[in-house]
Amino acid sequence: MNIILASSEAVPFAKTGGLADVATSLSEALANLGHDVTLVLPHYPQVMPQGHNGRFKIQPYGHPFAVKIGKRLQTGRFLSAKMVETSLSVVLIDQPDYYDRPQLYLQDGTDYEDNCERFVFFSRAVVELARQFTTPPDIIHANDWQTGLVPVLVSEELRKDPRFAGVASVQTIHNINYQGRFWHWDMPLTGLDWKYFNWKQMEFYGELNLLKSGITFADMITTVSPTYAREIQTPEYGCGLETVLRNRRESLAGILNGVSHADWNPATDWLIESNYSLKSIDEGKPICKADLQETMKLPVRDDVPILGMISRMTDQKGFDLIIETSELLMKMDIQLVFLGTGDRRYETFLDDLADRYPDKVATYIGFSEEVAHKIEAGSDIFLMPSRFEPCGLNQMYSMIYGTVPIVHRVGGLADSVVNVTTSTLSAGTANGFSFDHYTGSAFIFTVQEALRVFEDKQTWQKIVQNGMSTDWTWKRSANQYVDVYQRALEKIRPTPASSEVSENPPSTTPPTTPVDVR
Ligand code: ADP
Ligand code: GLC
């Protein structure tokens, strides 16, 4: 299959969260299955890693293009960024006015005012890239709200051109909490007729909603874990889109993310002090633990359990539980290490806690790939008490590094962490600790339970072993995406056996001429 995977971020080019890891590692996994994959993202020169030309070669690609943004024509160009170490093709959308900025989506805590325009442009550029392919792609895979317009453009513009009639779209929801909602006067930016601005398609409580648009028009929809796929169909987790999703549940699949073995593997990780595997963990991990304590300026003690946390500091991630239970945590003989950035409230609270308890708490407020790897390797326990969690990657990274996660049992955390009980221990499946009720008391009880088991070295070893010997790579999940792509294609290239009624509301006008502005 010929696949275009569009994402607003992807490692190693630009990252604010797990989407960046998944965009690249899924693309690579699909390419390894023999598919022709092009990963496309904006070109953010200011956030690209220093010295990147050693890792990927950037060259002009295809023809410069112009797309309609409202009444204007906006120009852009494609750059190819071939990664030296993989066979993956990466295309960057170059438009300095939109993307040459210090951060991806916001500055000083405020979203860029023209975010709608920036990502309408990106979505149109992705479709433009498809038009420039010699062989049309089979699938255009959109990720999150930033590319939510892509399925609309595929269905309502691209496919009207007979050469592209066989292109199917897939929309993946990585986090339904972020929907790309903009005031209705941004609708003309999309270049689409106002007829689409209705409650069944692109409108949501009077606003333009890009994620809803993607969900409505995509041939298939996925989200990043089976449990989250069920949760988002409920008012508790659906953030208002639960009915839209329930209406499309036949086309919704939950596929658990995988992990890139090349980036997250203690046996080869060059960012940690000592490499180790399951066989050599007893030698390697204590070295990483001491190194973490030194790096974070904590007393170097091998007997004290280190509880680590790496996270965007937002309400999603359970920091309110940490705050609520902090004084109880401070009574325990533990060390806490936090890496993250985001909400000032949480940053300040944790910095203050570290000031008050310098022997127990260390914080790194900021973004650091190196410290993230050191925490995964050097901690004994990883905290992920998220209020909700579509998939979550750090609990899987932790298990790979022999660090036992404590999680709130939701979303992908429920699908990857098997709580320690006598029966899961004897079944050889226990790999972490989880709690059901999102309360401080449930959280602290689980921490105490984990610390109690930590003292029982034999049992702890078994839990570590279960986590480390599970295959968290993309092998299984990448095949599930291929099945989803096939189902999407069957919908638009119906065979007598597989045809089914389209769920998209029928278009009331004859096919329009595609906006081809080249
Ligand atoms: P989310 O995408 O909701 O932030 P995930 O668990 O899926 O959560 O992925 C988060 C990713 O971002 C992980 O790779 C994690 O290591 C990384 N990360 C988050 N905050 C930081 C930070 N401050 N420094 C380095 N890496 C971070
Ligand atoms: C989102 C989710 C996270 C998920 C990531 C990658 O940012 O919050 O749970 O792991 O996307 O899919």
Side-chain angles (χ1 to χ4, degrees):
M1 257 185 260
N2 190 343
I3 302 155
I4 293 182
L5 192 141
S7 169
S8 57
E9 50 188 270
V11 290
F13 306 97
K15 168 168 173 175
T16 66
L19 170 63
D21 297 16
V22 171
T24 305
S25 54
L26 171 59
S27 299
E28 282 173 355
L30 290 165
N32 289 339
L33 289 176
H35 300 286
D36 210 336
V37 186
T38 304
L39 170 62
V40 50
L41 75 153
H43 179 220
Y44 307 100
Q46 290 189 49
V47 303
M48 297 268 260
Q50 297 296 313
H52 59 259
N53 267 329
R55 253 187 114 177
F56 39 85
K57 251 183 117 147
I58 296 192
Q59 288 166 332
Y61 175 90
H63 311 290
F65 63 91
V67 293
K68 246 175 132 181
I69 298 294
K71 292 205 167 99
R72 280 182 303 118
L73 271 187
Q74 182 61 268
T75 55
R77 52 177 197 147
F78 300 118
L79 300 173
S80 124
K82 193 113 190 95
M83 288 213 251
V84 176
E85 63 260 45
T86 72
S87 60
L88 187 64
S89 307
V90 180
V91 170
L92 307 174
I93 306 293
D94 188 51
Q95 177 24 268
D97 288 347
Y98 291 141
Y99 310 124
D100 191 3
R101 300 188 188 181
Q103 290 188 44
L104 268 57
Y105 313 120
L106 47 94
Q107 204 170 5
D108 304 325
T110 311
D111 287 350
Y112 294 128
E113 257 182 22
D114 57 349
N115 270 349
C116 184
E117 182 170 338
R118 297 170 77 222
F119 290 103
V120 165
F121 176 82
F122 178 53
S123 299
R124 283 208 168 269
V126 169
V127 174
E128 189 56 30
L129 177 69
R131 286 186 202 275
Q132 291 198 11
F133 274 21
T134 333
T135 314
D138 299 293
I139 297 290
I140 306 188
H141 183 166
N143 290 274
D144 274 351
W145 71 263
Q146 292 89 344
T147 48
L149 195 63
V150 169
V152 190
L153 298 176
V154 169
S155 160
E156 303 306 291
E157 293 184 358
L158 189 69
R159 279 209 290 256
K160 309 290 190 224
D161 177 344
R163 200 162 92 82
F164 297 99
V167 181
S169 70
V170 172
Q171 173 75 51
T172 294
I173 303 162
H174 292 264
N175 192 335
I176 206 158
N177 199 36
Y178 303 102
Q179 298 181 5
R181 290 172 61 171
F182 301 98
W183 75 324
H184 64 284
W185 283 118
D186 278 344
M187 181 65 192
L189 290 175
T190 66
L192 290 161
D193 195 284
W194 276 104
K195 75 176 184 201
Y196 296 107
F197 195 76
N198 66 72
W199 68 276
K200 285 191 167 173
Q201 297 182 308
M202 299 175 71
E203 184 264 356
F204 185 70
Y205 293 101
E207 293 181 320
L208 169 64
N209 185 318
L210 292 178
L211 185 62
K212 176 179 173 176
S213 307
I215 294 170
T216 306
F217 283 89
D219 299 303
M220 283 294 292
I221 305 148
T222 72
T223 188
V224 288
S225 69
T227 296
Y228 195 59
R230 290 190 294 276
E231 287 172 347
I232 54 179
Q233 296 179 54
T234 67
E236 195 183 350
Y237 294 99
C239 299
L241 293 183
E242 57 275 5
T243 314
V244 180
L245 285 158
R246 271 205 304 277
N247 287 339
R248 296 223 56 201
R249 63 182 173 276
E250 300 304 326
S251 306
L252 171 66
I255 305 175
L256 195 71
N257 288 331
V259 170
S260 157
H261 197 61
D263 293 332
W264 295 95
N265 178 1
T268 54
D269 192 331
W270 54 278
L271 293 170
I272 62 177
E273 193 60 18
S274 170
N275 289 123
Y276 60 89
S277 62
L278 183 53
K279 277 200 190 116
S280 57
I281 187 168
D282 289 343
E283 293 87 60
K285 203 166 169 69
I287 299 174
C288 294
K289 182 168 175 173
D291 174 56
L292 176 63
Q293 287 165 324
E294 268 168 36
T295 307
M296 301 302 288
K297 305 201 169 38
L298 287 166
V300 177
R301 283 176 54 194
D302 61 359
D303 60 319
V304 64
I306 302 186
L307 284 64
M309 188 162 174
I310 304 164
S311 181
R312 289 184 293 116
M313 292 188 171
T314 65
D315 294 340
Q316 173 189 343
K317 299 293 184 176
F319 287 100
D320 47 344
L321 297 188
I322 308 276
I323 293 177
E324 187 185 331
T325 58
S326 56
E327 290 308 322
L328 291 171
L329 288 168
M330 292 304 98
K331 293 202 172 87
M332 300 174 181
D333 187 21
I334 58 174
Q335 291 179 345
L336 282 167
V337 174
F338 296 99
L339 165 64
T341 173
D343 198 323
R344 209 26 77 74
R345 212 160 30 113
Y346 299 134
E347 292 181 353
T348 314
F349 179 87
L350 294 172
D351 264 346
D352 286 350
L353 197 67
D355 285 345
R356 282 165 50 216
Y357 298 94
D359 286 353
K360 279 184 183 289
V361 183
T363 55
Y364 184 115
I365 303 297
F367 200 91
S368 166
E369 204 64 51
E370 186 180 353
V371 178
H373 284 249
K374 282 181 187 289
I375 292 177
E376 289 297 6
S379 304
D380 299 291
I381 292 172
F382 192 85
L383 298 180
M384 217 156 158
S386 310
R387 184 183 287 273
F388 67 92
E389 194 61 76
C391 176
L393 298 172
N394 283 109
Q395 80 281 13
M396 295 192 267
Y397 299 160
S398 299
M399 290 189 261
I400 292 168
Y401 282 72
T403 302
V404 177
I406 295 181
V407 306
H408 177 214
R409 198 187 338 231
V410 279
L413 300 173
D415 294 336
S416 54
V417 176
V418 180
N419 190 33
V420 172
T421 62
T422 28
S423 59
T424 57
L425 275 173
S426 49
T429 52
N431 60 16
F433 296 84
S434 56
F435 56 96
D436 287 319
H437 298 291
Y438 189 78
T439 59
S441 51
F443 171 63
I444 203 80
F445 176 82
T446 313
V447 171
Q448 279 162 338
E449 177 62 9
L451 293 174
R452 193 185 59 74
V453 180
F454 181 72
E455 295 306 319
D456 172 358
K457 292 301 164 205
Q458 237 182 336
T459 307
W460 195 260
Q461 223 169 19
K462 271 194 208 154
I463 301 166
V464 166
Q465 192 172 343
N466 292 341
M468 280 184 96
S469 43
T470 306
D471 182 359
W472 299 107
T473 60
W474 273 100
K475 258 182 231 152
R476 179 182 27 95
S477 301
N479 278 312
Q480 292 178 31
Y481 273 99
V482 174
D483 289 345
V484 164
Y485 296 159
Q486 257 144 9
R487 283 177 64 192
L489 287 171
E490 280 164 20
K491 289 187 179 193
I492 55 143
R493 303 175 186 173
T495 57
S498 66
S499 60
E500 67 172 89
V501 181
S502 159
E503 295 155 281
N504 283 342
S507 177
T508 47
T509 49
T512 50
T513 317
V515 180
D516 192 349
V517 286
R518 264 180 295 144

PDB file of all heavy atoms in Angstrom, residues 98 101 104-106 110-121 145-146 182 186 189 210:
ATOM      1  N   TYR A  98       4.156  30.502   8.742  1.00  0.00           N
ATOM      2  CA  TYR A  98       3.350  29.696   9.657  1.00  0.00           C
ATOM      3  C   TYR A  98       4.178  28.899  10.670  1.00  0.00           C
ATOM      4  O   TYR A  98       3.757  28.685  11.796  1.00  0.00           O
ATOM      5  CB  TYR A  98       2.511  28.672   8.874  1.00  0.00           C
ATOM      6  CG  TYR A  98       1.408  29.252   8.034  1.00  0.00           C
ATOM      7  CD1 TYR A  98       1.135  28.722   6.770  1.00  0.00           C
ATOM      8  CD2 TYR A  98       0.620  30.302   8.507  1.00  0.00           C
ATOM      9  CE1 TYR A  98       0.113  29.231   5.986  1.00  0.00           C
ATOM     10  CE2 TYR A  98      -0.401  30.819   7.724  1.00  0.00           C
ATOM     11  CZ  TYR A  98      -0.660  30.281   6.471  1.00  0.00           C
ATOM     12  OH  TYR A  98      -1.677  30.781   5.711  1.00  0.00           O
ATOM     13  N   ARG A 101       8.703  29.345  13.961  1.00  0.00           N
ATOM     14  CA  ARG A 101       8.389  30.000  15.240  1.00  0.00           C
ATOM     15  C   ARG A 101       9.074  29.228  16.372  1.00  0.00           C
ATOM     16  O   ARG A 101       9.414  28.056  16.196  1.00  0.00           O
ATOM     17  CB  ARG A 101       6.875  30.006  15.466  1.00  0.00           C
ATOM     18  CG  ARG A 101       6.134  30.744  14.360  1.00  0.00           C
ATOM     19  CD  ARG A 101       4.677  30.932  14.659  1.00  0.00           C
ATOM     20  NE  ARG A 101       3.995  31.473  13.484  1.00  0.00           N
ATOM     21  CZ  ARG A 101       2.712  31.775  13.434  1.00  0.00           C
ATOM     22  NH1 ARG A 101       1.947  31.595  14.494  1.00  0.00           N
ATOM     23  NH2 ARG A 101       2.179  32.256  12.334  1.00  0.00           N
ATOM     24  N   LEU A 104       5.738  24.998  18.784  1.00  0.00           N
ATOM     25  CA  LEU A 104       4.859  24.421  17.779  1.00  0.00           C
ATOM     26  C   LEU A 104       3.473  25.055  17.728  1.00  0.00           C
ATOM     27  O   LEU A 104       2.970  25.400  16.662  1.00  0.00           O
ATOM     28  CB  LEU A 104       4.704  22.906  18.028  1.00  0.00           C
ATOM     29  CG  LEU A 104       5.681  21.998  17.287  1.00  0.00           C
ATOM     30  CD1 LEU A 104       7.112  22.351  17.609  1.00  0.00           C
ATOM     31  CD2 LEU A 104       5.406  20.549  17.614  1.00  0.00           C
ATOM     32  N   TYR A 105       2.837  25.169  18.911  1.00  0.00           N
ATOM     33  CA  TYR A 105       1.428  25.580  18.894  1.00  0.00           C
ATOM     34  C   TYR A 105       1.143  26.840  19.694  1.00  0.00           C
ATOM     35  O   TYR A 105       0.088  27.427  19.559  1.00  0.00           O
ATOM     36  CB  TYR A 105       0.545  24.473  19.482  1.00  0.00           C
ATOM     37  CG  TYR A 105       0.845  23.100  18.937  1.00  0.00           C
ATOM     38  CD1 TYR A 105       1.254  22.065  19.776  1.00  0.00           C
ATOM     39  CD2 TYR A 105       0.707  22.835  17.581  1.00  0.00           C
ATOM     40  CE1 TYR A 105       1.527  20.805  19.271  1.00  0.00           C
ATOM     41  CE2 TYR A 105       0.983  21.579  17.072  1.00  0.00           C
ATOM     42  CZ  TYR A 105       1.407  20.568  17.923  1.00  0.00           C
ATOM     43  OH  TYR A 105       1.678  19.331  17.422  1.00  0.00           O
ATOM     44  N   LEU A 106       2.042  27.200  20.598  1.00  0.00           N
ATOM     45  CA  LEU A 106       1.723  28.310  21.492  1.00  0.00           C
ATOM     46  C   LEU A 106       2.994  28.981  21.978  1.00  0.00           C
ATOM     47  O   LEU A 106       4.081  28.435  21.846  1.00  0.00           O
ATOM     48  CB  LEU A 106       0.909  27.820  22.691  1.00  0.00           C
ATOM     49  CG  LEU A 106       1.382  26.580  23.437  1.00  0.00           C
ATOM     50  CD1 LEU A 106       2.253  26.921  24.615  1.00  0.00           C
ATOM     51  CD2 LEU A 106       0.174  25.799  23.913  1.00  0.00           C
ATOM     52  N   THR A 110      -0.044  30.778  25.565  1.00  0.00           N
ATOM     53  CA  THR A 110      -1.222  31.151  24.762  1.00  0.00           C
ATOM     54  C   THR A 110      -1.076  30.598  23.346  1.00  0.00           C
ATOM     55  O   THR A 110      -0.027  30.737  22.720  1.00  0.00           O
ATOM     56  CB  THR A 110      -1.342  32.702  24.678  1.00  0.00           C
ATOM     57  OG1 THR A 110      -1.218  33.202  26.008  1.00  0.00           O
ATOM     58  CG2 THR A 110      -2.654  33.135  24.074  1.00  0.00           C
ATOM     59  N   ASP A 111      -2.179  30.009  22.857  1.00  0.00           N
ATOM     60  CA  ASP A 111      -2.165  29.460  21.495  1.00  0.00           C
ATOM     61  C   ASP A 111      -1.888  30.563  20.481  1.00  0.00           C
ATOM     62  O   ASP A 111      -2.362  31.689  20.653  1.00  0.00           O
ATOM     63  CB  ASP A 111      -3.543  28.853  21.157  1.00  0.00           C
ATOM     64  CG  ASP A 111      -3.763  27.547  21.894  1.00  0.00           C
ATOM     65  OD1 ASP A 111      -2.804  27.023  22.497  1.00  0.00           O
ATOM     66  OD2 ASP A 111      -4.908  27.048  21.856  1.00  0.00           O
ATOM     67  N   TYR A 112      -1.154  30.246  19.426  1.00  0.00           N
ATOM     68  CA  TYR A 112      -0.998  31.218  18.346  1.00  0.00           C
ATOM     69  C   TYR A 112      -2.382  31.550  17.796  1.00  0.00           C
ATOM     70  O   TYR A 112      -3.209  30.658  17.588  1.00  0.00           O
ATOM     71  CB  TYR A 112      -0.139  30.639  17.216  1.00  0.00           C
ATOM     72  CG  TYR A 112       1.311  30.378  17.579  1.00  0.00           C
ATOM     73  CD1 TYR A 112       1.888  29.139  17.335  1.00  0.00           C
ATOM     74  CD2 TYR A 112       2.097  31.389  18.130  1.00  0.00           C
ATOM     75  CE1 TYR A 112       3.221  28.902  17.647  1.00  0.00           C
ATOM     76  CE2 TYR A 112       3.433  31.146  18.448  1.00  0.00           C
ATOM     77  CZ  TYR A 112       3.990  29.899  18.197  1.00  0.00           C
ATOM     78  OH  TYR A 112       5.304  29.669  18.510  1.00  0.00           O
ATOM     79  N   GLU A 113      -2.585  32.819  17.512  1.00  0.00           N
ATOM     80  CA  GLU A 113      -3.911  33.266  17.062  1.00  0.00           C
ATOM     81  C   GLU A 113      -4.318  32.647  15.738  1.00  0.00           C
ATOM     82  O   GLU A 113      -5.503  32.494  15.451  1.00  0.00           O
ATOM     83  CB  GLU A 113      -3.884  34.782  16.896  1.00  0.00           C
ATOM     84  CG  GLU A 113      -4.568  35.480  18.031  1.00  0.00           C
ATOM     85  CD  GLU A 113      -4.592  36.981  17.838  1.00  0.00           C
ATOM     86  OE1 GLU A 113      -4.472  37.446  16.697  1.00  0.00           O
ATOM     87  OE2 GLU A 113      -4.719  37.663  18.859  1.00  0.00           O
ATOM     88  N   ASP A 114      -3.309  32.340  14.901  1.00  0.00           N
ATOM     89  CA  ASP A 114      -3.646  31.836  13.570  1.00  0.00           C
ATOM     90  C   ASP A 114      -3.503  30.318  13.472  1.00  0.00           C
ATOM     91  O   ASP A 114      -3.237  29.780  12.403  1.00  0.00           O
ATOM     92  CB  ASP A 114      -2.757  32.520  12.516  1.00  0.00           C
ATOM     93  CG  ASP A 114      -1.270  32.313  12.796  1.00  0.00           C
ATOM     94  OD1 ASP A 114      -0.917  31.831  13.900  1.00  0.00           O
ATOM     95  OD2 ASP A 114      -0.449  32.625  11.910  1.00  0.00           O
ATOM     96  N   ASN A 115      -3.683  29.607  14.607  1.00  0.00           N
ATOM     97  CA  ASN A 115      -3.535  28.150  14.561  1.00  0.00           C
ATOM     98  C   ASN A 115      -4.481  27.495  13.562  1.00  0.00           C
ATOM     99  O   ASN A 115      -4.116  26.530  12.895  1.00  0.00           O
ATOM    100  CB  ASN A 115      -3.749  27.534  15.950  1.00  0.00           C
ATOM    101  CG  ASN A 115      -2.442  27.443  16.715  1.00  0.00           C
ATOM    102  OD1 ASN A 115      -1.363  27.652  16.145  1.00  0.00           O
ATOM    103  ND2 ASN A 115      -2.512  27.143  18.003  1.00  0.00           N
ATOM    104  N   CYS A 116      -5.690  28.031  13.446  1.00  0.00           N
ATOM    105  CA  CYS A 116      -6.627  27.431  12.498  1.00  0.00           C
ATOM    106  C   CYS A 116      -6.034  27.546  11.087  1.00  0.00           C
ATOM    107  O   CYS A 116      -5.926  26.553  10.367  1.00  0.00           O
ATOM    108  CB  CYS A 116      -7.986  28.128  12.577  1.00  0.00           C
ATOM    109  SG  CYS A 116      -9.192  27.338  11.516  1.00  0.00           S
ATOM    110  N   GLU A 117      -5.607  28.742  10.738  1.00  0.00           N
ATOM    111  CA  GLU A 117      -5.050  28.965   9.400  1.00  0.00           C
ATOM    112  C   GLU A 117      -3.803  28.097   9.165  1.00  0.00           C
ATOM    113  O   GLU A 117      -3.629  27.510   8.107  1.00  0.00           O
ATOM    114  CB  GLU A 117      -4.704  30.457   9.266  1.00  0.00           C
ATOM    115  CG  GLU A 117      -4.169  30.804   7.908  1.00  0.00           C
ATOM    116  CD  GLU A 117      -4.047  32.310   7.696  1.00  0.00           C
ATOM    117  OE1 GLU A 117      -4.734  33.083   8.402  1.00  0.00           O
ATOM    118  OE2 GLU A 117      -3.248  32.704   6.825  1.00  0.00           O
ATOM    119  N   ARG A 118      -2.947  28.014  10.182  1.00  0.00           N
ATOM    120  CA  ARG A 118      -1.708  27.233  10.041  1.00  0.00           C
ATOM    121  C   ARG A 118      -2.009  25.775   9.703  1.00  0.00           C
ATOM    122  O   ARG A 118      -1.329  25.158   8.891  1.00  0.00           O
ATOM    123  CB  ARG A 118      -0.887  27.286  11.350  1.00  0.00           C
ATOM    124  CG  ARG A 118      -0.403  28.673  11.721  1.00  0.00           C
ATOM    125  CD  ARG A 118       0.182  28.677  13.118  1.00  0.00           C
ATOM    126  NE  ARG A 118       1.518  28.100  13.149  1.00  0.00           N
ATOM    127  CZ  ARG A 118       1.956  27.277  14.091  1.00  0.00           C
ATOM    128  NH1 ARG A 118       1.157  26.926  15.097  1.00  0.00           N
ATOM    129  NH2 ARG A 118       3.183  26.805  14.050  1.00  0.00           N
ATOM    130  N   PHE A 119      -3.041  25.237  10.359  1.00  0.00           N
ATOM    131  CA  PHE A 119      -3.278  23.807  10.135  1.00  0.00           C
ATOM    132  C   PHE A 119      -4.289  23.537   9.021  1.00  0.00           C
ATOM    133  O   PHE A 119      -4.308  22.441   8.478  1.00  0.00           O
ATOM    134  CB  PHE A 119      -3.589  23.110  11.459  1.00  0.00           C
ATOM    135  CG  PHE A 119      -2.335  23.059  12.299  1.00  0.00           C
ATOM    136  CD1 PHE A 119      -2.134  23.920  13.360  1.00  0.00           C
ATOM    137  CD2 PHE A 119      -1.302  22.209  11.943  1.00  0.00           C
ATOM    138  CE1 PHE A 119      -0.954  23.917  14.080  1.00  0.00           C
ATOM    139  CE2 PHE A 119      -0.101  22.195  12.647  1.00  0.00           C
ATOM    140  CZ  PHE A 119       0.071  23.052  13.726  1.00  0.00           C
ATOM    141  N   VAL A 120      -5.047  24.539   8.632  1.00  0.00           N
ATOM    142  CA  VAL A 120      -5.820  24.413   7.388  1.00  0.00           C
ATOM    143  C   VAL A 120      -4.809  24.341   6.240  1.00  0.00           C
ATOM    144  O   VAL A 120      -4.907  23.497   5.343  1.00  0.00           O
ATOM    145  CB  VAL A 120      -6.784  25.607   7.206  1.00  0.00           C
ATOM    146  CG1 VAL A 120      -7.297  25.674   5.770  1.00  0.00           C
ATOM    147  CG2 VAL A 120      -7.960  25.488   8.179  1.00  0.00           C
ATOM    148  N   PHE A 121      -3.816  25.222   6.320  1.00  0.00           N
ATOM    149  CA  PHE A 121      -2.784  25.224   5.275  1.00  0.00           C
ATOM    150  C   PHE A 121      -2.066  23.869   5.248  1.00  0.00           C
ATOM    151  O   PHE A 121      -1.858  23.279   4.188  1.00  0.00           O
ATOM    152  CB  PHE A 121      -1.768  26.353   5.514  1.00  0.00           C
ATOM    153  CG  PHE A 121      -0.633  26.337   4.526  1.00  0.00           C
ATOM    154  CD1 PHE A 121      -0.794  26.900   3.264  1.00  0.00           C
ATOM    155  CD2 PHE A 121       0.585  25.737   4.831  1.00  0.00           C
ATOM    156  CE1 PHE A 121       0.251  26.865   2.329  1.00  0.00           C
ATOM    157  CE2 PHE A 121       1.626  25.695   3.907  1.00  0.00           C
ATOM    158  CZ  PHE A 121       1.452  26.270   2.653  1.00  0.00           C
ATOM    159  N   TRP A 145      -6.446  16.792  15.640  1.00  0.00           N
ATOM    160  CA  TRP A 145      -7.229  17.885  15.035  1.00  0.00           C
ATOM    161  C   TRP A 145      -6.445  18.655  13.986  1.00  0.00           C
ATOM    162  O   TRP A 145      -7.021  19.193  13.042  1.00  0.00           O
ATOM    163  CB  TRP A 145      -7.743  18.844  16.113  1.00  0.00           C
ATOM    164  CG  TRP A 145      -6.682  19.709  16.760  1.00  0.00           C
ATOM    165  CD1 TRP A 145      -6.038  19.469  17.937  1.00  0.00           C
ATOM    166  CD2 TRP A 145      -6.145  20.949  16.270  1.00  0.00           C
ATOM    167  NE1 TRP A 145      -5.129  20.481  18.201  1.00  0.00           N
ATOM    168  CE2 TRP A 145      -5.186  21.400  17.208  1.00  0.00           C
ATOM    169  CE3 TRP A 145      -6.390  21.732  15.131  1.00  0.00           C
ATOM    170  CZ2 TRP A 145      -4.465  22.585  17.027  1.00  0.00           C
ATOM    171  CZ3 TRP A 145      -5.663  22.919  14.964  1.00  0.00           C
ATOM    172  CH2 TRP A 145      -4.720  23.333  15.897  1.00  0.00           C
ATOM    173  N   GLN A 146      -5.127  18.704  14.124  1.00  0.00           N
ATOM    174  CA  GLN A 146      -4.328  19.530  13.207  1.00  0.00           C
ATOM    175  C   GLN A 146      -4.493  19.069  11.759  1.00  0.00           C
ATOM    176  O   GLN A 146      -4.259  19.828  10.824  1.00  0.00           O
ATOM    177  CB  GLN A 146      -2.842  19.485  13.589  1.00  0.00           C
ATOM    178  CG  GLN A 146      -2.503  20.167  14.908  1.00  0.00           C
ATOM    179  CD  GLN A 146      -2.609  19.248  16.099  1.00  0.00           C
ATOM    180  OE1 GLN A 146      -3.216  18.169  16.019  1.00  0.00           O
ATOM    181  NE2 GLN A 146      -2.025  19.645  17.217  1.00  0.00           N
ATOM    182  N   PHE A 182     -12.533  26.493  16.671  1.00  0.00           N
ATOM    183  CA  PHE A 182     -12.269  27.891  16.302  1.00  0.00           C
ATOM    184  C   PHE A 182     -13.588  28.597  16.009  1.00  0.00           C
ATOM    185  O   PHE A 182     -14.570  27.952  15.660  1.00  0.00           O
ATOM    186  CB  PHE A 182     -11.358  27.936  15.065  1.00  0.00           C
ATOM    187  CG  PHE A 182     -10.034  27.234  15.290  1.00  0.00           C
ATOM    188  CD1 PHE A 182      -9.832  25.934  14.859  1.00  0.00           C
ATOM    189  CD2 PHE A 182      -9.003  27.867  15.975  1.00  0.00           C
ATOM    190  CE1 PHE A 182      -8.627  25.276  15.097  1.00  0.00           C
ATOM    191  CE2 PHE A 182      -7.786  27.226  16.210  1.00  0.00           C
ATOM    192  CZ  PHE A 182      -7.607  25.924  15.771  1.00  0.00           C
ATOM    193  N   ASP A 186     -13.731  31.430  11.026  1.00  0.00           N
ATOM    194  CA  ASP A 186     -12.577  30.734  10.433  1.00  0.00           C
ATOM    195  C   ASP A 186     -13.027  29.740   9.357  1.00  0.00           C
ATOM    196  O   ASP A 186     -12.198  29.213   8.619  1.00  0.00           O
ATOM    197  CB  ASP A 186     -11.768  29.997  11.509  1.00  0.00           C
ATOM    198  CG  ASP A 186     -10.806  30.943  12.225  1.00  0.00           C
ATOM    199  OD1 ASP A 186     -10.555  32.045  11.689  1.00  0.00           O
ATOM    200  OD2 ASP A 186     -10.316  30.592  13.311  1.00  0.00           O
ATOM    201  N   LEU A 189     -11.759  30.099   5.849  1.00  0.00           N
ATOM    202  CA  LEU A 189     -10.349  29.743   5.615  1.00  0.00           C
ATOM    203  C   LEU A 189     -10.217  28.368   4.992  1.00  0.00           C
ATOM    204  O   LEU A 189      -9.262  28.079   4.267  1.00  0.00           O
ATOM    205  CB  LEU A 189      -9.569  29.730   6.949  1.00  0.00           C
ATOM    206  CG  LEU A 189      -9.304  31.049   7.656  1.00  0.00           C
ATOM    207  CD1 LEU A 189      -8.642  30.793   9.005  1.00  0.00           C
ATOM    208  CD2 LEU A 189      -8.388  31.916   6.781  1.00  0.00           C
ATOM    209  N   LEU A 210     -12.392  21.045  14.041  1.00  0.00           N
ATOM    210  CA  LEU A 210     -11.623  20.305  13.033  1.00  0.00           C
ATOM    211  C   LEU A 210     -11.558  18.806  13.327  1.00  0.00           C
ATOM    212  O   LEU A 210     -11.573  17.986  12.413  1.00  0.00           O
ATOM    213  CB  LEU A 210     -10.215  20.894  12.900  1.00  0.00           C
ATOM    214  CG  LEU A 210     -10.162  22.309  12.299  1.00  0.00           C
ATOM    215  CD1 LEU A 210      -8.731  22.826  12.241  1.00  0.00           C
ATOM    216  CD2 LEU A 210     -10.782  22.351  10.906  1.00  0.00           C
TER     217      LEU A 210
END
